[in-house]
Amino acid sequence: MKEQLARMRAEALAALEAVKDAAALDELRVKYLGKKGELTAVLKQMGRLSAEERPAMGALANEVRAAVETALETASKKLEEAALERKLKAETVDVTIPGKTAHMGHRHPMYMALDEIKEIFVGMGFTVLDGPEVELAELNFDRLNAEEGHPSRDWSDTFYFDADSRVMLRSQTSPMQVRAMETMELPMRIIAPGRVYRKDEVDATHSPMFHQVEGMVIDKNVTMADLKGTLNKLVEQLYGPGTRTRFRPHHFPFTEPSCEMDVQCHKCGGAGCPTCKGEGWIELLGAGMIHPTVLEMSGIDPNVWSGWAFGIGLERTAMRRFKIADLRLIFENDVRFLEQF
Ligand code: DAH
């Protein structure tokens, strides 16, 4: 029995020393220490020993069990460590490999131009207003002195919501003038950017939806010279010092006198080219001195207060600012185009 135990111990320790994986380890545990294992088989023979022999043999058997158990534990630890080592190796991070660059978007060129415009006017003490795109015809037309029958009120030009032509998609940002006069204290300086809608077919210079920025100043002793000075400042800051403008007489129902402002063509510098249709100038905005009737309708005394207003096309401004030839590029959102800015 003694030899049997000694052989078993030697065998078990050798096997455990060489064990390669957890399954094999479990097999060895069962083989040597399991209920039907080799140690149990040896112990079953204890009955055959004399009472004197039994304690020494029992002690030896316990010693062997303890040795095998220790070896099992050591082998198990070794396997765990090896597994961890393999895992760490497999998951090694090479910090020297260049990272993946995240693709960052940026502002749309038209909104970049709008931000510049806002910054220029905020710097001159203007407040930026926001207003509804679904507007009352009363504010879009009547309160701006565009009487019944005015061509801009025609169904062929305007998106109305109802048969009575009372609610519409605003065709200009000018109703924001009325909203400001209704709600703000005098004197006031405001700009109001936003979308406007007209029944136009899409082409290189037209879209049924586009953007305007309305501007308005009401104060005492305000003159056309203030208007020209402010708009020239805007153009110089947007397009660079020395950019030339010209003011042409025009008609708008809500201003008197009215004008349109042109900027010298950025393509040909004024000589005349296809971009400016041979004119040398490109129309940028409408403006004028606020009509006394418009002030009066909003409860402002035109004998005390005077004001000027303008409406600038934002797409057109951005197209000139970034030298974009076709309006459709602004709306199509083709990233190959947008990424250039
Ligand atoms: N609302 C005009 C348009 O859409 C532009 C305009 C002209 C606005 C003169 C004004 C203005 O405030 O004074 O064509």
Side-chain angles (χ1 to χ4, degrees):
M1 244 180 112
K2 216 175 177 176
E3 294 81 57
Q4 243 180 317
L5 280 169
R7 193 167 20 84
M8 190 192 116
R9 170 201 220 142
E11 251 181 50
L13 296 193
L16 283 167
E17 182 78 33
V19 75
K20 283 276 171 341
D21 58 61
L25 184 76
D26 257 358
E27 252 168 53
L28 291 175
R29 188 193 312 277
V30 173
K31 180 173 181 211
Y32 293 109
L33 301 183
K35 265 189 203 147
K36 292 176 184 161
E38 289 189 15
L39 186 66
T40 316
V42 176
L43 290 174
K44 274 187 185 149
Q45 300 168 31
M46 290 274 273
R48 284 194 239 141
L49 297 175
S50 66
E52 295 84 59
E53 286 173 314
R54 247 179 247 160
M57 202 55 73
L60 181 61
N62 279 341
E63 213 186 288
V64 171
R65 173 191 296 280
V68 173
E69 274 173 353
T70 308
L72 269 166
E73 210 159 286
T74 309
S76 163
K77 261 209 195 102
K78 238 168 65 187
L79 283 178
E80 267 172 39
E81 274 164 16
L84 182 65
E85 189 73 17
R86 270 198 308 278
K87 197 170 163 207
L88 285 177
K89 253 203 193 118
E91 292 175 5
T92 300
V93 177
D94 182 350
V95 292
T96 65
I97 292 173
K100 286 183 194 151
T101 46
H103 187 84
M104 290 284 281
H106 62 74
R107 282 180 86 61
H108 189 285
M110 193 186 68
Y111 281 92
M112 284 153 74
L114 177 58
D115 283 347
E116 289 181 12
I117 293 173
K118 280 184 183 169
E119 206 163 297
I120 293 164
F121 278 102
V122 168
M124 292 192 277
F126 284 63
T127 303
V128 183
L129 299 185
D130 192 18
E133 289 167 33
V134 176
E135 185 56 282
L136 297 170
E138 186 193 344
L139 270 67
N140 195 93
F141 295 126
D142 301 87
R143 296 284 294 277
L144 290 167
N145 205 28
E147 71 287 358
E148 291 292 334
H150 192 276
S152 64
R153 304 183 71 133
D154 203 279
W155 273 73
S156 63
D157 289 333
T158 303
F159 294 103
Y160 288 105
F161 285 86
D162 55 339
D164 311 333
S165 314
R166 287 184 54 241
V167 183
M168 56 181 287
L169 286 172
R170 66 180 177 190
S171 62
Q172 50 186 355
T173 44
S174 302
M176 287 307 292
Q177 292 186 27
V178 182
R179 289 182 176 273
M181 287 190 266
E182 293 279 296
T183 55
M184 294 182 60
E185 298 208 355
L186 292 165
M188 68 177 86
R189 296 176 213 183
I190 60 112
I191 60 165
R195 292 191 187 91
V196 301
Y197 302 85
R198 290 180 199 175
K199 286 188 184 166
D200 280 327
E201 296 291 336
V202 175
D203 65 22
T205 50
H206 292 87
S207 158
M209 185 281 292
F210 58 103
H211 296 71
Q212 290 185 332
V213 183
E214 197 76 12
M216 179 175 74
V217 169
I218 303 178
D219 205 335
K220 289 176 177 157
N221 305 315
V222 169
T223 72
M224 195 87 181
D226 301 317
L227 167 68
K228 289 177 77 170
T230 308
L231 293 179
N232 279 333
K233 192 97 209 147
L234 168 72
V235 166
E236 286 221 333
Q237 295 211 19
L238 269 183
Y239 302 136
T243 308
R244 294 186 57 195
T245 57
R246 77 173 181 192
F247 292 78
R248 282 179 291 102
H250 200 75
H251 172 77
F252 296 105
F254 36 87
T255 41
E256 183 58 38
S258 304
C259 64
E260 279 189 335
M261 188 186 81
D262 302 335
V263 210
Q264 206 160 43
C265 179
H266 55 278
K267 266 273 160 63
C268 62
C273 71
T275 301
C276 57
K277 299 186 185 99
E279 294 270 322
W281 298 89
I282 294 172
E283 181 212 318
L284 202 64
L285 57 83
M289 300 303 295
I290 302 174
H291 199 295
T293 309
V294 170
L295 291 172
E296 241 162 18
M297 279 191 283
S298 289
I300 296 172
D301 185 350
N303 296 312
V304 179
W305 303 93
S306 55
W308 51 257
F310 69 88
I312 185 170
L314 188 53
E315 284 81 1
R316 228 176 251 190
T317 310
M319 282 166 78
R320 207 208 122 103
R321 172 74 179 74
F322 297 112
K323 303 194 169 30
I324 300 165
D326 194 314
L327 174 69
R328 286 166 289 200
L329 289 167
I330 293 196
F331 299 119
E332 279 166 358
N333 286 333
D334 185 331
V335 288
R336 289 169 303 179
F337 164 74
L338 295 175
E339 274 172 350
Q340 298 172 38
F341 302 96

